[in-house]
Amino acid sequence: MLLTWQLARLTEGRLGRAYLWANALLLLSALVIDRLGYTLFVILMPRLIHDLTAYSVYVTHDRNRNQSDQPGGSTAGCHGPSGCRCCGYHCVRWSSPGR
């Protein structure tokens, strides 16, 4: 918490400061929940937050990439996180030597 406080003082933007404090509070809440004996929630909280933010990034990326009104835009692509995982799997598989 001391490091968060020191970094937050040096951070100029409000969004960056909020991000620092949110991460510190996530860690603190995980410690408190662990002390209460709810270990499953200690694992699920960061995972749920990660999945929700990653999904929003995937959706934004796909929407920006697939703009059909822009020159060179395409309507084909991934649909949600499962589609992105599938595309990533195939890209790695096809680029592997010895396939």
Side-chain angles (χ1 to χ4, degrees):
M1 292 304 259
L2 180 62
L3 181 60
T4 302
W5 181 73
Q6 289 175 344
L7 288 173
R9 272 191 4 212
L10 300 173
T11 304
E12 294 178 13
R14 288 179 53 187
L15 183 62
R17 198 174 302 122
Y19 180 77
L20 282 170
W21 282 111
N23 278 306
L25 291 175
L26 178 64
L27 178 63
L28 183 63
S29 65
L31 292 173
V32 169
I33 290 173
D34 185 49
R35 294 299 259 165
L36 293 173
Y38 295 103
T39 309
L40 179 65
F41 291 113
V42 173
I43 297 167
L44 287 179
M45 275 187 346
R47 179 64 196 205
L48 180 66
I49 292 171
H50 170 268
D51 288 349
L52 290 174
T53 55
Y55 182 72
S56 67
V57 168
Y58 288 144
V59 168
T60 303
H61 170 71
D62 286 344
R63 185 176 297 140
N64 290 339
R65 185 187 61 194
N66 296 329
Q67 293 290 324
S68 60
D69 58 333
Q70 293 179 355
S74 169
T75 57
C78 302
H79 299 287
S82 60
C84 289
R85 282 191 206 109
C86 182
C87 288
Y89 167 76
H90 288 294
C91 287
V92 169
R93 185 171 165 234
W94 291 333
S95 65
S96 299
R99 71 160 226 195

